[in-house]
Amino acid sequence: MSTKLNNIVSGNATFHHQRHKLLLPAWLVICLLLVVPVLMMLVYSFLTKEFRGGVIWEFSLAAYDQFFFDRGLFGDEPAKIDWTYMRIYARSALQAFIASVLCLVIGFPTAYFIATRSVRSRPVWVFLITIPYWVNLLIRTVSMKFMIRDSGPLNTWLLQAGIIDQPIHLINTNIAVQLGLFYSYLPFMVLPIYASIERYDFSLSEAASDLYASKWTTLRRVILPAVKPGIIAGCILVFVPSLGAFLAPDLLGGAKNFMIGSLIEEQFKGNAGNWPFGAASSMILLAIVMGVLLLYARNETNAAGSR
Amino acid sequence: MASINTNIKHYPGFLAVTVFCLFLLYAPLLVVMVYSFNDSLSIVKWEGFSLRWYHDVFNGKETAKYKTAAWNSISIAVMAATAATIIATLAALGMNRSAQWRGKSASFALINLPLMVPEIVTAVATLIFFSAIGFKTGYTSILIAHIVFCIPFAYLPISARLQGIESSYEQAAMDLYATRTQAFTKVLMPLMMPGIISGYLLAFIISLDDFIITNFVKGAGIETLPTAIFGAVKQGIKPNIMAISTLMLLVSVLFVCISYMVGRSGSPTSQNSE
């Protein structure tokens, strides 16, 4: 027994082939508690709903049918395409896209600035950017709500500074949701871009300048293409969690700015109580996210191959 | 503007954007911290400094509720982080100290899977899983769900640390007649320790902070701090919530700072990574 353990944990090359057994607990836990549940969710999305939550074990396409089609109040009219839910997904995608653009606009210059500091001070800047990420997302969202409400500090400051003469109404608007998403995931944009710029060879900028390119032309034509992988990674890292976000739209957006997260939550926690539909909506969200990630991964390997 | 080419790296305005970025990140948190010391029943007006809301948190009407919630949060976080750290340490050893084998990249993807699946999807899937196998939702179901998503957060710093430790350390120990167990416990483990502590602390914070998954799998009658805060915030932001938030925020920041410093301390790669 003990020699077996010794073999597994040792650094002896002859026993290296044993080492992968150490991955067993991770495989077990993640397969049993994440992969299996996702497969079960897939099964549930094809079952019949029970009205007080839960399912009846009877095959049904009703959940997906409800997502895409409208068959009238009693379900006997010819199927028309129903845009209600697809519109919620499209709106969520748009919100997530705007949040990504906002993060990029603020995040790129920040990442660039940090990457051009001295080697010693860079980790401190990066640490400053990451601290807020580790603060509870709920608390951050509540803070944002407190900050931007009609009589909140933001409006007070702007009024006192004479920049506005009426409080700006932000709570329960699209802008509030975008601000919330932006605030939630900004560090995800800065970090990968920072990593790319840190690897960027600044002699390229020098060469561009020697060839009479202006600074901004150099930025546009030389630096941006060189650090594009970092930018794409950052955009995905912001877009994906924004798409399924629950707290920012729920606390900052109100009922009018319903997003995917709230739609799904309502099927399980709210009054709607339609588990198969909630499972189907989650499956569709998961499919979109995995699609984006796969596309990204394929792009990456292609880019790596052509280099 | 005469020296336009002296610093090719410099772009005007980028410093301003960076400062603005940090302002955006920190202003809301600082505002809540400041207002938690407000001596007022309303959250609108500033009426002077006071610790009354902290007093209210520890000796007020809702103290019992938040105390139970805090105890649930902390005990779950301790256990989930412990389990996740053990699993992640073993996985990191398996990934970094084994020869190339076929399942390696699949294993890497699997360990990071909890980061890629949207939180709300994990929440739904876990709820369905517990419901399908007839597992009663409550304290244990929260704990089990937390272990899963803590694994990648514990794994990343441990694995990063391990990558920086060459296997020659263990080989040297064994050349000097250490048994394999001794080489592991006396040489590799101490070298890995900063990564393990760093990973443990990150997993702890992630568990302590989780709202979405907990909210789905908690069932009726049990609250953690985030779900209790969410319930209260739905009725409007009250000053005692700001005091609780400030306390939680400080705990998170403290733990991240410790994790950061431990993770960097005496890193064998800190000199040659540049």
Side-chain angles (χ1 to χ4, degrees):
Chain A
M1 175 62 211
S2 90
T3 47
K4 201 168 173 190
L5 188 77
N6 284 348
N7 290 349
I8 292 173
V9 295
S10 77
N12 191 326
T14 39
F15 293 105
H16 265 171
H17 65 279
Q18 294 269 13
R19 280 290 179 72
H20 59 254
K21 282 187 185 156
L22 294 170
L23 283 158
L24 213 63
W27 271 89
L28 266 177
V29 169
I30 295 174
C31 281
L32 183 67
L33 296 167
L34 190 58
V35 178
V36 170
V38 166
L39 294 176
M40 276 182 171
M41 182 174 84
L42 178 65
V43 172
Y44 265 49
S45 70
F46 289 105
L47 296 179
T48 310
K49 75 166 171 179
E50 187 162 31
F51 281 95
R52 278 165 289 113
V55 287
I56 301 167
W57 281 84
E58 219 169 84
F59 177 81
S60 159
L61 282 171
Y64 291 96
D65 191 80
Q66 181 186 347
F67 192 93
F68 293 107
F69 300 109
D70 177 14
R71 294 178 192 273
L73 198 54
F74 302 102
D76 50 3
E77 289 165 32
K80 292 198 304 271
I81 290 184
D82 179 1
W83 294 103
T84 317
Y85 300 116
M86 284 183 260
R87 208 171 281 140
I88 292 175
Y89 275 61
R91 180 166 58 222
S92 304
L94 181 68
Q95 297 279 49
F97 175 76
I98 295 172
S100 307
V101 172
L102 280 175
C103 285
L104 180 60
V105 169
I106 301 285
F108 181 83
T110 306
Y112 185 94
F113 179 79
I114 296 174
T116 50
R117 294 307 92 195
S118 73
V119 177
R120 287 185 67 81
S121 64
R122 278 178 217 164
V124 179
W125 285 98
V126 171
F127 188 54
L128 275 177
I129 295 286
T130 44
I131 288 178
Y133 168 73
W134 297 105
V135 171
N136 196 321
L137 182 59
L138 174 63
I139 291 176
R140 278 187 288 155
T141 313
V142 170
S143 309
M144 186 51 111
K145 183 169 184 161
F146 181 75
M147 183 89 180
I148 63 173
R149 70 191 204 288
D150 291 0
S151 53
L154 181 71
N155 274 315
T156 315
W157 293 340
L158 291 176
L159 282 171
Q160 274 169 2
I163 297 169
I164 52 171
D165 43 81
Q166 288 228 323
I168 325 169
H169 177 69
L170 285 170
I171 290 293
N172 295 350
T173 64
N174 278 328
I175 299 171
V177 178
Q178 286 144 16
L179 261 177
L181 293 175
F182 162 76
Y183 183 44
S184 305
Y185 304 117
L186 179 60
F188 289 173
M189 181 65 83
V190 177
L191 296 179
I193 298 182
Y194 161 75
S196 292
I197 298 177
E198 210 186 20
R199 282 195 302 269
Y200 170 73
D201 182 359
F202 277 97
S203 57
L204 290 174
S205 289
E206 229 163 279
S209 144
D210 289 346
L211 297 166
Y212 299 103
S214 76
K215 282 199 127 160
W216 297 101
T217 311
T218 308
L219 180 69
R220 213 177 62 241
R221 304 279 295 269
V222 181
I223 301 177
L224 278 180
V227 302
K228 204 170 110 195
I231 293 176
I232 294 174
C235 289
I236 286 175
L237 285 179
V238 174
F239 182 84
V240 164
S242 296
L243 193 62
F246 170 71
L247 284 171
D250 191 74
L251 289 173
L252 301 168
K256 259 198 317 188
N257 303 290
F258 214 63
M259 277 175 60
I260 300 174
S262 314
L263 174 73
I264 294 174
E265 204 247 9
E266 192 149 273
Q267 308 309 318
F268 295 92
K269 308 289 286 184
N271 299 322
N274 187 341
W275 282 36
F277 184 67
S281 308
S282 305
M283 273 324 293
I284 294 168
L285 171 62
L286 184 62
I288 297 171
V289 167
M290 288 299 147
V292 171
L293 291 179
L294 274 180
L295 217 66
Y296 169 67
R298 224 178 54 186
N299 231 342
E300 278 288 277
T301 36
N302 283 351
S306 66
R307 245 175 246 144
Chain B
M1 290 305 283
S3 59
I4 198 154
N5 270 336
T6 48
N7 189 349
I8 202 89
K9 293 178 175 182
H10 178 76
Y11 279 86
F14 279 20
L15 169 65
V17 176
T18 307
V19 171
F20 181 63
C21 178
L22 289 172
F23 172 79
L24 282 175
L25 287 173
Y26 285 93
L29 299 178
L30 291 176
V31 162
V32 162
M33 284 171 82
V34 168
Y35 270 79
S36 71
F37 294 106
N38 189 3
D39 186 20
S40 164
L41 273 176
S42 92
I43 56 165
V44 182
K45 272 224 307 272
W46 176 257
E47 286 177 19
F49 177 87
S50 128
L51 287 172
R52 66 184 282 191
W53 296 114
Y54 289 91
H55 188 261
D56 183 78
V57 168
F58 290 106
N59 304 292
K61 270 192 304 209
E62 297 183 302
T63 302
K65 178 178 124 189
Y66 286 116
K67 218 175 187 170
T68 318
W71 174 244
N72 287 337
S73 277
I74 293 169
S75 57
I76 287 173
V78 167
M79 288 189 278
T82 307
T85 307
I86 294 171
I87 295 169
T89 306
L90 294 175
L93 282 168
M95 289 294 283
N96 294 298
R97 281 294 191 270
S98 64
Q100 195 63 40
W101 56 291
R102 273 173 43 178
K104 207 165 188 175
S105 55
S107 300
F108 185 73
L110 192 83
I111 291 165
N112 287 297
L113 194 63
L115 293 179
M116 288 186 279
V117 177
E119 251 196 306
I120 191 120
V121 175
T122 308
V124 168
T126 313
L127 173 66
I128 286 176
F129 174 72
F130 285 133
S131 156
I133 63 170
F135 195 94
K136 203 174 163 299
T137 50
Y139 188 90
T140 320
S141 64
I142 301 176
L143 174 62
I144 293 172
H146 279 212
I147 293 173
V148 182
F149 66 76
C150 283
I151 292 175
F153 287 95
Y155 176 80
L156 293 174
I158 299 175
S159 174
R161 179 82 190 184
L162 200 53
Q163 270 166 21
I165 307 171
E166 286 165 42
S167 59
S168 51
Y169 286 95
E170 300 135 87
Q171 271 151 23
M174 290 202 291
D175 286 347
L176 297 167
Y177 299 103
T179 64
R180 292 189 186 100
T181 319
Q182 282 172 330
F184 178 70
T185 56
K186 297 246 162 85
V187 177
L188 191 55
M189 269 298 261
L191 283 170
M192 279 174 75
M193 229 7 157
I196 295 176
I197 294 171
S198 178
Y200 180 88
L201 293 173
L202 294 188
F204 181 87
I205 301 171
I206 285 295
S207 165
L208 196 67
D209 285 357
D210 178 70
F211 167 73
I212 294 176
I213 295 171
T214 310
N215 188 38
F216 265 74
V217 300
K218 75 184 175 66
I222 178 164
E223 301 282 355
T224 63
L225 267 183
T227 62
I229 292 174
F230 183 77
V233 165
K234 278 290 188 181
Q235 322 289 321
I237 305 175
K238 298 209 181 64
N240 64 332
I241 292 298
M242 293 205 254
I244 295 176
S245 300
T246 304
L247 292 173
M248 280 189 81
L249 193 155
L250 292 178
V251 168
S252 297
V253 172
L254 182 71
F255 273 51
V256 171
C257 290
I258 298 175
S259 166
Y260 174 76
M261 284 184 296
V262 171
R264 267 164 62 89
S265 67
S267 164
T269 53
S270 61
Q271 283 87 34
N272 50 25
S273 67
E274 203 33 58

